[in-house]
Amino acid sequence: MVLIGTATEEKENFMPAAWASPLSFKPPLFGVAISPKRYTYNAILASEEFTVNYCTLEMADIVARTGEVSGRVVNKKEKFNIKTRRGEVVKAPVVEGCYAHLECKLKDYFEVGDHFLFVGEVLKFSHDLKDLKPLIYLWEDTYTTISDVRILKPREK
Amino acid sequence: MVLIGTATEEKENFMPAAWASPLSFKPPLFGVAISPKRYTYNAILASEEFTVNYCTLEMADIVARTGEVSGRVVNKKEKFNIKTRRGEVVKAPVVEGCYAHLECKLKDYFEVGDHFLFVGEVLKFSHDLKDLKPLIYLWEDTYTTISDVRILKPREK
């Protein structure tokens, strides 16, 4: 799970997203599907920037809670005590405690059914994979992380 | 990890993909980013169909091996002994042993950097989540699965 971070003149906001993926190496592009009902939809169109914050298992509560309320009516940063710093190359907030961060500038967006795919160019990428425990959404209200198993399948030369 | 299954008049083919995600509930749409260098790129454009086969940890070897060679030069189904059945609503092959399958009809595609995002309408969805061990790609040549941890975060009513 990732938290999509946005900043407008009004407020910073955070939306959990599971429908998100890298899309391109050159240039480095990342896509996230967002419903036009979401506050984040308007925030990205207004600011043309967003961050992608890869959450850890410890953040299950923040992720679940931020998904229950809209940034239109709640200041999630204050309500959920989300620790952030400003991005290095974007104004959108970077969430502390995440194991990886992307800072993105909006490059394009496409209507796909009841969502829009926002495509961001990744201007900055940072990560810390030590003791990696990514938050994985399974199904209704249920989360997990990766196992300690490591399967190595080296490529045949 | 998923295997994207395609069928043309020439052959069935299978391409591992990590850059894939649902995109819409209504209609149900699924997207996968595919380089135009891939055989699968042409196969989807020719057949306008594909399957999405969610792989288990046991399939790490098949996934790694199918990613090393092109369907242009190898019949992967024969070479890697991939067990399939024909889709119920598409001609593209469904891979046995996977824990979930989508049968998709190509609805749209977008150029995103050095890849194209293929958007399929999900015509059929099946899954079996018993003893779930999804194959997760971590980084170079390394795979894992989910842990046994289950964190429940019920929504506040």
Side-chain angles (χ1 to χ4, degrees), chain A residues 27-30 48-51 88-91 101-107 120-126:
Chain A
L29 302 178
F30 186 92
E48 299 193 340
E49 291 179 351
F50 59 94
T51 59
E88 289 182 36
V89 293
V90 299
K91 290 176 186 168
H101 306 93
L102 311 179
E103 298 184 27
C104 297
K105 183 166 179 53
L106 181 63
K107 188 176 175 71
E121 181 162 1
V122 181
L123 302 181
K124 185 165 173 62
F125 169 55
S126 59

Side-chain angles (χ1 to χ4, degrees), chain A residues 64-124:
Chain A
R65 297 301 155 240
T66 52
E68 287 174 345
V69 292
S70 172
R72 281 189 200 89
V73 292
V74 169
N75 184 317
K76 297 186 189 181
K77 182 171 171 174
E78 291 175 4
K79 185 173 175 74
F80 303 117
N81 194 25
I82 300 172
K83 304 293 184 206
T84 67
R85 59 178 190 271
R86 187 163 157 168
E88 289 182 36
V89 293
V90 299
K91 290 176 186 168
V94 167
V95 180
E96 302 279 9
C98 289
Y99 67 90
H101 306 93
L102 311 179
E103 298 184 27
C104 297
K105 183 166 179 53
L106 181 63
K107 188 176 175 71
D108 214 341
Y109 58 101
F110 306 104
E111 186 170 5
V112 279
D114 56 15
H115 282 56
F116 280 73
L117 185 77
F118 285 87
V119 178
E121 181 162 1
V122 181
L123 302 181
K124 185 165 173 62

Side-chain angles (χ1 to χ4, degrees), chain B residues 1 7 20 23 31 38 46 52 64 77 90 102 112 127 138 144 148 154:
Chain B
M1 290 293 293
L23 295 173
R38 301 285 166 232
V52 182
K77 182 171 170 173
V90 300
L102 311 180
V112 280
H127 66 277
L138 284 177
T144 188
D148 296 328

Side-chain angles (χ1 to χ4, degrees), chain B:
Chain B
M1 290 293 293
V2 297
L3 281 175
I4 303 299
T6 52
T8 61
E9 288 181 16
E10 193 184 26
K11 69 177 83 165
E12 295 183 352
N13 193 61
F14 307 90
M15 186 199 86
W19 293 1
S21 172
L23 295 173
S24 167
F25 290 112
K26 286 187 182 180
L29 301 177
F30 186 92
V32 55
I34 299 177
S35 163
K37 294 176 187 169
R38 301 285 166 232
Y39 178 87
T40 293
Y41 172 90
N42 297 100
I44 293 178
L45 289 181
S47 63
E48 300 194 337
E49 291 179 351
F50 60 93
T51 59
V52 182
N53 304 277
Y54 282 81
C55 298
T56 65
L57 185 63
E58 285 184 354
M59 300 170 74
D61 201 62
I62 281 180
V63 168
R65 297 301 156 240
T66 52
E68 286 173 345
V69 292
S70 172
R72 279 188 202 90
V73 292
V74 169
N75 184 317
K76 297 186 189 182
K77 182 171 170 173
E78 289 175 6
K79 186 173 174 75
F80 304 117
N81 195 25
I82 300 173
K83 304 293 184 205
T84 66
R85 59 177 191 273
R86 186 164 158 168
E88 289 182 36
V89 292
V90 300
K91 291 176 186 169
V94 167
V95 180
E96 302 279 7
C98 290
Y99 67 90
H101 306 94
L102 311 180
E103 298 184 28
C104 297
K105 182 167 179 54
L106 182 63
K107 188 177 174 71
D108 214 342
Y109 58 101
F110 306 105
E111 187 170 5
V112 280
D114 57 16
H115 282 56
F116 280 73
L117 184 76
F118 285 86
V119 178
E121 181 162 1
V122 181
L123 302 181
K124 185 165 173 62
F125 169 55
S126 59
H127 66 277
D128 177 359
L129 303 181
K130 190 161 47 75
D131 305 324
L132 180 64
K133 290 204 186 300
L135 182 65
I136 298 172
Y137 180 68
L138 284 177
W139 43 67
E140 195 181 347
D141 299 336
T142 308
Y143 299 83
T144 188
T145 189
I146 57 172
S147 81
D148 296 328
V149 171
R150 294 293 178 273
I151 305 278
L152 192 65
K153 293 288 179 189
R155 295 201 149 220
E156 287 176 16
K157 302 301 178 195

Side-chain angles (χ1 to χ4, degrees), chain A residues 105-157:
Chain A
K105 183 166 179 53
L106 181 63
K107 188 176 175 71
D108 214 341
Y109 58 101
F110 306 104
E111 186 170 5
V112 279
D114 56 15
H115 282 56
F116 280 73
L117 185 77
F118 285 87
V119 178
E121 181 162 1
V122 181
L123 302 181
K124 185 165 173 62
F125 169 55
S126 59
H127 65 276
D128 177 1
L129 302 181
K130 191 160 49 73
D131 305 324
L132 179 65
K133 288 204 186 301
L135 182 66
I136 297 173
Y137 180 68
L138 284 178
W139 44 66
E140 195 181 348
D141 299 336
T142 308
Y143 300 83
T144 188
T145 188
I146 58 173
S147 82
D148 296 328
V149 171
R150 294 293 178 272
I151 305 277
L152 193 66
K153 292 289 178 188
R155 294 199 149 223
E156 286 176 17
K157 304 300 179 193

